[in-house]
PDB file of all heavy atoms in Angstrom:
ATOM      1  N   ALA X1009       5.559   2.835  -8.124  1.00 89.00           N
ATOM      2  CA  ALA X1009       6.670   2.669  -9.058  1.00 89.00           C
ATOM      3  C   ALA X1009       8.005   3.132  -8.476  1.00 89.00           C
ATOM      4  O   ALA X1009       9.058   2.662  -8.905  1.00 89.00           O
ATOM      5  CB  ALA X1009       6.383   3.439 -10.348  1.00 89.00           C
ATOM      6  N   TYR X1010       7.957   4.020  -7.511  1.00 89.00           N
ATOM      7  CA  TYR X1010       9.191   4.570  -6.932  1.00 89.00           C
ATOM      8  C   TYR X1010       9.897   3.501  -6.091  1.00 89.00           C
ATOM      9  O   TYR X1010       9.255   2.649  -5.477  1.00 89.00           O
ATOM     10  CB  TYR X1010       8.834   5.787  -6.087  1.00 89.00           C
ATOM     11  CG  TYR X1010      10.022   6.537  -5.550  1.00 89.00           C
ATOM     12  CD1 TYR X1010      10.891   7.201  -6.401  1.00 89.00           C
ATOM     13  CD2 TYR X1010      10.272   6.574  -4.190  1.00 89.00           C
ATOM     14  CE1 TYR X1010      11.984   7.897  -5.909  1.00 89.00           C
ATOM     15  CE2 TYR X1010      11.360   7.272  -3.689  1.00 89.00           C
ATOM     16  CZ  TYR X1010      12.212   7.933  -4.545  1.00 89.00           C
ATOM     17  OH  TYR X1010      13.294   8.615  -4.056  1.00 89.00           O
ATOM     18  N   GLN X1011      11.224   3.535  -6.049  1.00 89.00           N
ATOM     19  CA  GLN X1011      12.006   2.509  -5.351  1.00 89.00           C
ATOM     20  C   GLN X1011      12.108   2.709  -3.839  1.00 89.00           C
ATOM     21  O   GLN X1011      12.492   1.799  -3.119  1.00 89.00           O
ATOM     22  CB  GLN X1011      13.419   2.432  -5.944  1.00 89.00           C
ATOM     23  CG  GLN X1011      13.439   1.892  -7.353  1.00 89.00           C
ATOM     24  CD  GLN X1011      12.932   0.457  -7.401  1.00 89.00           C
ATOM     25  OE1 GLN X1011      13.460  -0.419  -6.704  1.00 89.00           O
ATOM     26  NE2 GLN X1011      11.908   0.212  -8.182  1.00 89.00           N
ATOM     27  N   TRP X1012      11.826   3.887  -3.310  1.00 90.00           N
ATOM     28  CA  TRP X1012      11.844   4.181  -1.879  1.00 90.00           C
ATOM     29  C   TRP X1012      13.147   3.779  -1.197  1.00 90.00           C
ATOM     30  O   TRP X1012      13.159   2.950  -0.296  1.00 90.00           O
ATOM     31  CB  TRP X1012      10.640   3.555  -1.168  1.00 90.00           C
ATOM     32  CG  TRP X1012       9.361   4.090  -1.716  1.00 90.00           C
ATOM     33  CD1 TRP X1012       8.479   3.417  -2.489  1.00 90.00           C
ATOM     34  CD2 TRP X1012       8.857   5.427  -1.586  1.00 90.00           C
ATOM     35  NE1 TRP X1012       7.449   4.253  -2.867  1.00 90.00           N
ATOM     36  CE2 TRP X1012       7.658   5.486  -2.321  1.00 90.00           C
ATOM     37  CE3 TRP X1012       9.306   6.574  -0.937  1.00 90.00           C
ATOM     38  CZ2 TRP X1012       6.897   6.654  -2.412  1.00 90.00           C
ATOM     39  CZ3 TRP X1012       8.553   7.732  -1.035  1.00 90.00           C
ATOM     40  CH2 TRP X1012       7.374   7.764  -1.753  1.00 90.00           C
ATOM     41  N   PRO X1013      14.273   4.401  -1.589  1.00 87.00           N
ATOM     42  CA  PRO X1013      15.541   4.075  -0.932  1.00 87.00           C
ATOM     43  C   PRO X1013      15.539   4.433   0.550  1.00 87.00           C
ATOM     44  O   PRO X1013      16.266   3.832   1.334  1.00 87.00           O
ATOM     45  CB  PRO X1013      16.574   4.897  -1.711  1.00 87.00           C
ATOM     46  CG  PRO X1013      15.804   5.975  -2.370  1.00 87.00           C
ATOM     47  CD  PRO X1013      14.435   5.410  -2.628  1.00 87.00           C
ATOM     48  N   GLY X1014      14.702   5.387   0.927  1.00 84.00           N
ATOM     49  CA  GLY X1014      14.589   5.759   2.334  1.00 84.00           C
ATOM     50  C   GLY X1014      13.549   4.942   3.072  1.00 84.00           C
ATOM     51  O   GLY X1014      13.241   5.196   4.231  1.00 84.00           O
ATOM     52  N   ASN X1015      12.982   3.968   2.389  1.00 89.00           N
ATOM     53  CA  ASN X1015      12.009   3.044   2.943  1.00 89.00           C
ATOM     54  C   ASN X1015      10.756   3.752   3.450  1.00 89.00           C
ATOM     55  O   ASN X1015      10.355   4.765   2.904  1.00 89.00           O
ATOM     56  CB  ASN X1015      12.648   2.158   4.013  1.00 89.00           C
ATOM     57  CG  ASN X1015      12.152   0.737   3.938  1.00 89.00           C
ATOM     58  OD1 ASN X1015      11.113   0.453   3.369  1.00 89.00           O
ATOM     59  ND2 ASN X1015      12.897  -0.175   4.515  1.00 89.00           N
ATOM     60  N   VAL X1016      10.122   3.238   4.491  1.00 93.00           N
ATOM     61  CA  VAL X1016       8.837   3.750   4.971  1.00 93.00           C
ATOM     62  C   VAL X1016       8.960   5.193   5.469  1.00 93.00           C
ATOM     63  O   VAL X1016       8.055   5.995   5.265  1.00 93.00           O
ATOM     64  CB  VAL X1016       8.248   2.834   6.067  1.00 93.00           C
ATOM     65  CG1 VAL X1016       6.976   3.423   6.645  1.00 93.00           C
ATOM     66  CG2 VAL X1016       7.979   1.445   5.505  1.00 93.00           C
TER      67      VAL X1016
END
Side-chain angles (χ1 to χ4, degrees):
Y1010 186 66
Q1011 292 297 304
W1012 299 109
N1015 220 340
V1016 175

